[in-house]
Amino acid sequence: MSLNGTAQNGTLAEDLVEKPSEKIKSVLVMCVFIFVFAVIFFTFTRKKNRKVFAPRLLLLGTESSIKEGLFSWVTDAFSTKDEDIFMLAGMDALVFLRFMRLMLKFAVCSLPYGICVLIPLNVHGGNGLDDGLEKMSMSNVEEKSAYLWAHWVAVYLYSILILVFCLQEWKVYISFRQRHLKNATSSDFAVLVKELPKNMTDDDTLYEFVNELFPNEVASVYVIRDLGKYKTLVEKHDLTVLQWEDSKFFDDSNDEKKMMTKGCCCFGEKVEATQEYEKQLEILQGDMKTEKTEGNRNPMNCAFVVFKSIKAKELALKSTWTNNPIDYQPCAAPTVKETLWCALKLNYYVRLILEAIGYILIFFLVIFWAIPITFIASLGKLNSIAREVPWLADILRALSVGFVNFAEGLLPVILIAVFFAILPLILFLIARLQGNYSSKICAELVFKYMFIFQTVNSFFIYVLSGALIEQITAIAQDPFQIPNLLAKSIPSQSGFYINYVAFATAIGYFLTLTRIVPMIVIWLKLKCLAKTPRQRLEAWKPPRAVYELLFSKSLLFFLVGLSYSVLSPIIVPFVIIFFGFGYVVYLYQLTHVYMPEFDHGGRFWIYVFNRIMVIVFVFQLLMVGVFLLKEVFTIAILVTPLIICTIFFWIYVNNNFEKVSLFITLKESVGMQHADPALLEDLKNSYILDHSVPEIFAVSTDKAQTEEESMNDETSRLL
């Protein structure tokens, strides 16, 4: 009986051998088809529907600048200069596109050594693996092999390459960053001062105090008031205006008047909708004027201070105003539309508590997120699990080998993508919970949190859980062999990441380039839902560039590409395609489609550089671990000097380059004029939400947006 069972298990083990290369083939075929379809579809349709493929240019009135050549959107990637990107799309777009070029340059430079040196050595590594993908990875190099010196050289070579490229990038970044700071917009003259003492919550008193600190440099001061009731009335007024526009459009387009029920929905009186909305707007107009003049306007412990010059404003940001470290905390003022007014009510200690709660939530969410990630990793190792689970083996036997390979290759990738599509929404809510006063700051926090999740969950948790599950049978038989098994299995996890990079390139860029979902939504809105001019404009309004997600996704693939450039160099060509085609796609999107909602001023490069250094550090430590698992202790120890040099380089750059990029230099500020006093007064008034009551048939944001655009244009012209 036992002999039969042993024979059966042996047959089962032979039938369920992992073939990573088979999983990749089926996924790659699908990705290539989607990739080619996306390019052809976009090439032949982009000029026919400019509301989908060039809404930014259409909104700015420059749609005539669209080039007519079929593949001009590709050739632009080779002809568009940094200066053009800076002028057309702004500093943030330039930083992102140069980052994509940096990643592409590194991948291209690392490819020859990996293909010509590492892969041949891996193939003849001595472990006798027969799968093509595993054979080309470090998994096939036996312990204590002299071939591992070549991998040690690669660690040094790739690390030095990325450090040199980053140093070059910093020099270009500082040049453009100083130009950006010099080309100030109106809001760049304002400072938000938090934690005002109680005796300073009066405009005149605070003005005298600040003017004493910065003589003849203060244009105006506004202590923020609690205007909760007034804002509620404005929001109700704006909603009623939209309803009135819809009703009036119906009346003008039809022979009959639009009717509505006044009072109870069942027994109320039928009245003409347009007239009823007009009556409601008159009442709301009166309520807003009454609230403006007679309502409670309790001052908060924060204020907007408008300075006459950029030099004075930046001096205020760099200075400590008093001996008390808590009072008078200056920070760059957000624009009106990105200000989170509710957060300004919070005092210092409440914000500290909320910030701590947010970090605790992030910590537990990272731990919780490891559970689905481990489950997803198991879906890519069904054959390994089936060796220990008979009923799963029976199911897999009933399915075709091709289907199982396709499911194992694609299903984990799709689930990972879905999980990380939901995650930013949760992280943004946590950032709001922490009491941040600006939507822009929340977006930057989302980027930082996403990097933590992707490094811990998408990389470490998936790599380790996938490696352990793959060797589950051997571990069950001899747990003490875990280090050796990990040495063989970690490099072989590249199969999942090849699928992941291919999926992100094909599906991700397919959705980005073709804009198939926005195309359908816009068509439905314009055909069925949008009636008024405002609704039709909103239907195709350009989306914002979500830089926090663009950077975080690209950093994940840099982490994967750098780590596996030594472990399994075959992944590098896929990384090249991702960053190369990504540069072409996003150059078009940022200049033709996306409109910036927040101006980060290129600060993302500072955050990105620090995370590049973390990735390099992780890569080096990972290779030390793999060398130790391969029992080449001398090689592992000789990586230590590189780690130390990397840390010193990181400190050197932050101490010498980062501080130069934060504020405008004295040299660049020479010759800068004071802004027009009337412009600065308009800037102050824009922060006073009840400064002017919205017109009866106008939405409040219309005037605010027009004033902000005119102020920005005037400021740029003056400077």
Side-chain angles (χ1 to χ4, degrees), residues 476-550:
Q477 294 173 354
D478 187 1
F480 295 102
Q481 290 297 314
I482 288 179
N484 293 332
L485 296 172
L486 287 176
K488 293 180 180 179
S489 296
I490 288 178
S492 66
Q493 301 306 307
S494 61
F496 164 77
Y497 289 110
I498 290 176
N499 285 340
Y500 197 5
V501 175
F503 183 84
T505 304
I507 306 298
Y509 291 150
F510 166 77
L511 295 175
T512 301
L513 192 61
T514 64
R515 304 198 72 216
I516 192 70
V517 175
M519 180 188 295
I520 296 172
V521 172
I522 291 171
W523 182 83
L524 288 174
K525 285 182 177 179
L526 293 177
K527 288 292 183 181
C528 308
L529 300 176
K531 301 294 189 299
T532 68
R534 186 191 302 276
Q535 291 172 345
R536 296 186 70 82
L537 176 60
E538 288 292 329
W540 57 269
K541 188 176 180 180
R544 84 174 181 93
V546 191
Y547 286 109
E548 61 269 25
L549 301 186
L550 296 180

Side-chain angles (χ1 to χ4, degrees), residues 42-76:
F42 174 76
T43 300
F44 288 96
T45 59
R46 69 183 181 93
K47 292 182 293 183
K48 299 178 182 178
N49 195 342
R50 293 181 176 178
K51 290 181 178 179
V52 175
F53 298 110
R56 171 190 171 93
L57 298 184
L58 195 61
L59 189 65
L60 297 176
T62 57
E63 67 274 13
S64 59
S65 62
I66 300 177
K67 297 181 180 179
E68 297 299 326
L70 279 180
F71 292 98
S72 59
W73 63 279
V74 177
T75 57
D76 280 347

Side-chain angles (χ1 to χ4, degrees), residues 596-653:
E597 183 178 351
F598 313 132
D599 179 17
H600 298 278
R603 286 192 305 274
F604 264 114
W605 168 248
I606 300 174
Y607 311 144
V608 167
F609 167 74
N610 286 319
R611 280 146 189 83
I612 289 176
M613 290 297 97
V614 172
I615 290 172
V616 173
F617 191 61
V618 167
F619 161 65
Q620 293 167 353
L621 289 179
L622 177 65
M623 293 311 303
V624 169
V626 173
F627 288 142
L628 290 175
L629 293 173
K630 291 286 187 180
E631 300 181 17
V632 281
F633 304 109
T634 303
I635 294 178
I637 293 172
L638 288 177
V639 178
T640 306
L642 179 63
I643 296 176
I644 295 173
C645 291
T646 302
I647 294 173
F648 276 109
F649 173 84
W650 192 357
I651 296 172
Y652 166 78
V653 169

Side-chain angles (χ1 to χ4, degrees), residues 405-443:
N405 286 331
F406 183 77
E408 284 188 315
L410 188 62
L411 192 57
V413 171
I414 294 176
L415 291 178
I416 285 280
V418 170
F419 268 86
F420 279 91
I422 299 171
L423 184 60
L425 303 176
I426 302 173
L427 297 181
F428 192 84
L429 291 176
I430 294 176
R432 288 284 300 267
L433 171 68
Q434 290 182 291
N436 293 293
Y437 60 87
S438 167
S439 298
K440 177 170 63 180
I441 294 177
C442 291

Side-chain angles (χ1 to χ4, degrees), residues 455-467:
T455 304
V456 175
N457 295 109
S458 288
F459 190 73
F460 281 112
I461 297 296
Y462 192 95
V463 167
L464 292 176
S465 59

Side-chain angles (χ1 to χ4, degrees), residues 233-429:
L233 290 172
V234 171
E235 291 170 0
K236 188 175 181 180
H237 166 268
D238 290 348
L239 177 61
T240 307
V241 169
L242 298 179
Q243 294 171 328
W244 172 80
E245 288 179 349
D246 185 66
S247 174
K248 193 172 187 305
F249 183 85
F250 180 89
D251 293 347
D252 296 340
S253 304
N254 297 277
D255 296 332
E256 57 180 347
K257 301 290 185 181
K258 186 175 183 178
M259 307 299 291
M260 65 178 292
T261 302
K262 183 180 180 181
C264 179
C265 59
C266 299
F267 307 102
E269 176 187 2
K270 290 285 186 180
V271 296
E272 291 186 11
T274 303
Q275 293 182 357
E276 181 60 27
Y277 289 135
E278 290 173 354
K279 293 177 182 178
Q280 293 179 14
L281 288 172
E282 290 178 359
I283 295 172
L284 287 169
Q285 188 82 357
D287 291 342
M288 286 188 294
K289 290 180 179 179
T290 302
E291 181 63 25
K292 171 179 166 56
T293 55
E294 302 177 7
N296 294 325
R297 307 172 80 245
N298 298 323
M300 299 183 190
N301 66 337
C302 48
F304 287 106
V305 179
V306 179
F307 289 90
K308 296 178 181 179
S309 67
I310 295 297
K311 186 185 295 186
K313 173 248 184 177
E314 296 203 342
L315 177 61
L317 290 176
K318 291 185 283 188
S319 304
T320 302
W321 289 20
T322 65
N323 294 334
N324 191 325
I326 296 179
D327 291 344
Y328 303 106
Q329 296 183 3
C331 53
T335 61
V336 177
K337 64 182 179 181
E338 73 189 39
T339 303
L340 302 175
W341 299 96
C342 292
L344 297 178
K345 299 179 183 179
L346 306 175
N347 63 40
Y348 176 76
Y349 296 102
V350 172
R351 281 202 302 272
L352 278 183
I353 294 172
L354 291 176
E355 189 174 2
I357 292 174
Y359 291 142
I360 292 171
L361 289 176
I362 292 295
F363 175 77
F364 283 105
L365 193 58
V366 169
I367 295 175
F368 169 79
W369 221 254
I371 298 173
I373 295 299
T374 303
F375 171 74
I376 292 171
S378 68
L379 294 179
K381 309 294 178 183
L382 292 177
N383 286 332
S384 298
I385 299 174
R387 299 187 197 118
E388 300 296 322
V389 183
W391 62 266
L392 180 58
D394 294 336
I395 294 176
L396 295 181
R397 287 179 183 280
L399 301 173
S400 67
V401 176
F403 178 80
V404 172
N405 286 331
F406 183 77
E408 284 188 315
L410 188 62
L411 192 57
V413 171
I414 294 176
L415 291 178
I416 285 280
V418 170
F419 268 86
F420 279 91
I422 299 171
L423 184 60
L425 303 176
I426 302 173
L427 297 181
F428 192 84
L429 291 176

